[in-house]
Amino acid sequence: MTPYLFAWILWILMFFAIELPAVFNRQQDDTLSELVWRVFAIRGKPVGWQLRRLALLLGLGWLVAHFLTGGLV
């Protein structure tokens, strides 16, 4: 097992250690989805909402293209 593989596995485990308790409690803005919705102004239209949503769209678009092209993008 390479150090990077170990680090990624640890990162994924830490993600679930944070996310699972957040899923089962009833607080707002504690899951990753709720945080993304708030930061990128998915619900509502505060100041700068268009720029925030564009940043999210470009970031997720690049990530999908990166995975689908095998790293060519």
Side-chain angles (χ1 to χ4, degrees):
M1 179 180 298
T2 68
Y4 282 105
L5 177 58
F6 178 75
W8 280 111
I9 291 171
L10 185 62
W11 184 86
I12 291 167
L13 290 174
M14 288 301 299
F15 169 79
F16 283 111
I18 296 167
E19 187 73 6
L20 285 177
V23 167
F24 291 109
N25 69 27
R26 297 291 177 206
Q27 293 179 0
Q28 291 277 306
D29 296 334
D30 54 356
T31 66
L32 179 61
S33 297
E34 292 166 342
L35 178 68
V36 167
W37 295 334
R38 183 172 51 88
V39 169
F40 291 101
I42 301 304
R43 296 178 177 162
K45 296 182 179 178
V47 174
W49 68 273
Q50 293 169 321
L51 186 58
R52 294 183 203 185
R53 290 183 191 179
L54 178 62
L56 179 62
L57 178 66
L58 292 174
L60 291 176
W62 171 84
L63 184 61
V64 168
H66 178 72
F67 285 146
L68 292 178
T69 64
L72 296 177
V73 177

